[in-house]
Amino acid sequence: MKKYECSVCGYVYDPVLGDPDAGIAPGTAFEDIPEGWVCPVCGVGKDQFEVQE
């Protein structure tokens, strides 16, 4: 699974870790995160994230 980086603050969503504070379980692919999820650091939406190469 690919990691995604917030283009605003640089936070990296790692699907291996998930985002437990937001109820996103480890192993959850970025594509499977609900559309209402926001960056836990700066609060922007999923549309501001880019695949980390």
Side-chain angles (χ1 to χ4, degrees), residues 3-52:
K3 294 179 182 179
Y4 283 74
E5 182 175 359
C6 177
S7 61
V8 175
C9 72
Y11 167 81
V12 175
Y13 174 77
D14 184 343
V16 172
L17 303 175
D19 183 9
D21 292 340
I24 308 299
T28 302
F30 188 79
E31 296 83 2
D32 296 333
I33 296 174
E35 287 303 316
W37 178 83
V38 296
C39 176
V41 175
C42 70
V44 298
K46 284 179 66 176
D47 61 331
Q48 297 296 311
F49 279 73
E50 299 172 353
V51 176
Q52 196 178 43

